[in-house]
Amino acid sequence: MIYLSASSINLYQECPRCFWLKIKEKINRPSGPTSTLPNGMDYTLKNYFDSWRQKNKLPPELKSLLPGKLLPDQDKISWLRSRSLAAINQELGIKIGGMLDDALILEDQSIVPLDIKTRGFPLKEVHSAYALQMSVYTYLLQKNRLKTRNLAYLAFWYLDHKNMDLNQPLRFNIAVEEIKTEPEKIDKILNKIKQILDDQIPLASPDCQFCQYRQLEI
């Protein structure tokens, strides 16, 4: 059984060769030191959201920016945040999983993903990787027989050094983006992934810096 996540599917979209090496040969792209700040912010904001969940309210910063309310069931949120949220395509031998940050429940009782992103600068555009990630989440909600819609929300908590309040220099700004998800595309992508994995290693991608590095002759 092949296990995939939204990030590994994004890797396939970026470079089939790097994806093939990761899945077939367990060779990952090299990585350098990473900051612990994003993970710390992630845990902090989840705890913050959970505190408002107990009050059955949205955090005040998001009240005018989001529809519906936070999904009130803490046990269900814990499940949606875990690796237990998954779907299996038996025909392809692929298991796809994902861990939501949070979820909203809308007036029609649909459950839709709410993802929290932290940034050091204002948002210019929503990266295609985020849109695919949200489509994967909608797909997983559907496959687990939860009432949902082709909809997700990204809440960006960001700093803006050009327009900062000197009395509160680390105060975050918030921007919310509504995403129209496309879960129907996920099975099509999984079929292409299966074909790639059943074949020989793909050619190096001309746009992939990692592929170029691997081909350097020293």
Side-chain angles (χ1 to χ4, degrees), residues 26-89:
K26 311 303 180 188
I27 299 174
N28 293 308
R29 284 175 167 179
S31 60
T34 57
S35 171
T36 60
L37 182 59
N39 284 338
M41 287 296 300
D42 180 68
Y43 288 122
T44 298
L45 287 172
K46 283 178 180 174
N47 288 340
Y48 179 62
F49 274 57
D50 288 345
S51 71
W52 282 98
R53 191 185 325 281
Q54 294 173 7
K55 303 173 186 176
N56 202 27
K57 295 180 180 179
L58 281 168
E61 300 91 342
L62 297 172
K63 188 175 180 179
S64 63
L65 301 176
L66 288 170
K69 62 181 182 179
L70 293 177
L71 183 64
D73 189 333
Q74 186 67 57
D75 289 337
K76 184 167 284 187
I77 283 295
S78 295
W79 171 62
L80 293 175
R81 288 173 174 170
S82 76
R83 291 188 179 276
S84 297
L85 179 63
I88 296 175
N89 186 316

Side-chain angles (χ1 to χ4, degrees), residues 86-147:
I88 296 175
N89 186 316
Q90 295 286 2
E91 182 180 351
L92 298 179
I94 292 176
K95 180 178 181 180
I96 179 172
M99 295 183 286
L100 276 65
D101 285 339
D102 217 303
L104 296 171
I105 186 163
L106 306 181
E107 288 187 1
D108 65 356
Q109 300 304 298
S110 295
I111 297 172
V112 298
L114 170 61
D115 207 64
I116 305 165
K117 307 291 186 186
T118 53
R119 296 175 49 84
F121 302 93
L123 179 71
K124 291 184 178 180
E125 62 180 357
V126 176
H127 196 283
S128 60
Y130 293 160
L132 177 60
Q133 180 188 15
M134 296 303 103
S135 291
V136 168
Y137 288 169
T138 300
Y139 175 87
L140 290 173
L141 293 175
Q142 288 181 349
K143 292 298 182 181
N144 282 274
R145 300 182 180 180
L146 294 175
K147 182 178 180 180

Side-chain angles (χ1 to χ4, degrees), residues 14 204-210 212:
E14 288 179 17
S205 172
D207 298 323
C208 177
Q209 294 180 350
F210 295 93
Q212 295 175 27

Side-chain angles (χ1 to χ4, degrees), residues 160-175:
D160 185 356
H161 69 280
K162 293 183 179 179
N163 301 287
M164 62 186 292
D165 181 347
L166 294 177
N167 294 314
Q168 296 178 297
L170 296 180
R171 180 180 178 273
F172 280 86
N173 300 280
I174 300 171

